Amino acid sequence: MAAPGRCGFFLEKKKRFCKMIVARGKVFCGEHAEEGSSRIPCPLDPKHTVSEDKLEQHLKKCNSREKAKPWDVDNSVLSHPILQEELNNPKNGDSAHKHLKQQSSLLGHLEALGLLGRGRCFVEFGAGRGKLSHWIHEALKTRDHVKTCKDLQLLLVERCSTRFKVDGKHQDTGVEFERLQVDIQHLDLSKVQLLTQKKLPLVGVGKHLCGAATDLALRCLLETPGLRKEVQPPRKRLKTPESSPGPDSGPGPVLGLAVALCCHHRCEWRHYVGQQFFLQKGLGAAEFSAFCRMSSWATCGPANRGPASRAGTNQGRDDEEHEPAEKTDAVSGFLSLEEREQLGRLCKRLIDGGRLHFLETNGFLSKLTCYVDREVTLENVLLTAVPSN
């Protein structure tokens, strides 16, 4: 006789009753509930059986079903019609054509997310010459059949002095177009007068935002200035009406973001937004540094033998000639080039996993997408996010 609270099904091979606990009022466990029905080994794991007439339902919830692989990145190469004429222009060389493809797909993703519209402020981090902001303005002006976009703001953030800027094209358009030459880590959006006047919702954008600049941009957008931890105690100063912000001061809410990632080997633990994500997995600064170094393997193969930048540590550049990654030959004896590149991509996705976690804990739905082909650029992953509500 079965023990109280245990399954009443007798196992002939083991010469005993099943020891599984049953629900209140039930005689058999879930495994042996249908005595009269035919049971078959589960196709996913033959160690347990399933009622044949409920096989389809079981496969959807079986614990042995194939789980989604960590850091899977969808492929979604989009485009925007505003750049089509320029893409077909034979005067553009190969390099210019690749930039246009990236800008076109970026605008396509902004459109698909519902972020490409008027009545908001686009903050372009690592703006370089400002081409991305230029195309955003052109797209909205053309789509809405207007000569000027007076309810549109464009804020370009670039810490380096940049030549051949496109800013001059927007001086007489009526659009509020401003450039700040500042390091992202020193930028406080609540102090930018352009943003605090109309308080338009913010959309963060960036094309190839190198290494730690991505984390700095995320902090700049999502962390409340008053809650930032000061590296050094702030100097005391007298509060005056001019220096004391009012209760409703500050920019508008963050509507979303779309940032093309790159140069994970230049990330820094002190700026990294995914520290909590790493610590929860038993990893720390030392492991993070190792993953950053190995991430360079993803882009150090034959496909990326072109000239490297000697421009220091720009946070974003239009020419995409980034600082060369550290070369590591210690593993060349037992890992093939393909294996090193695959491991490098996995390290990049692990680092990006911390960024996704940061965005989700701040109330955003975030995603990684391959937004252009690798033939266009090896740094072809786009980070997007919109509020979860």
Side-chain angles (χ1 to χ4, degrees), residues 220-233:
C220 183
L221 281 171
L222 302 182
E223 290 190 341
T224 306
L227 298 180
R228 288 180 182 167
K229 292 182 179 179
E230 299 286 344
V231 178
Q232 296 178 345

Side-chain angles (χ1 to χ4, degrees), residues 87 91-103:
L87 281 166
K91 294 182 180 179
N92 287 317
D94 184 59
S95 177
H97 191 71
K98 288 182 176 181
H99 287 294
L100 290 167
K101 280 187 173 180
Q102 294 169 68
Q103 291 156 354

Side-chain angles (χ1 to χ4, degrees), residues 56-94:
E56 185 176 354
Q57 180 182 359
H58 171 79
L59 292 177
K60 294 180 180 179
K61 60 181 180 180
C62 178
N63 290 331
S64 299
R65 70 189 185 280
E66 185 177 357
K67 305 293 193 306
K69 295 179 181 179
W71 328 130
D72 274 352
V73 181
D74 294 336
N75 288 300
S76 181
V77 179
L78 302 181
S79 61
H80 195 279
I82 190 62
L83 286 101
Q84 196 57 50
E85 182 179 351
E86 199 66 23
L87 281 166
N88 295 332
N89 188 347
K91 294 182 180 179
N92 287 317
D94 184 59

Side-chain angles (χ1 to χ4, degrees), residues 304-319:
N304 196 34
R305 299 294 189 192
S309 170
R310 296 294 184 267
T313 55
N314 284 2
Q315 291 175 340
R317 287 177 55 85
D318 279 351
D319 54 16

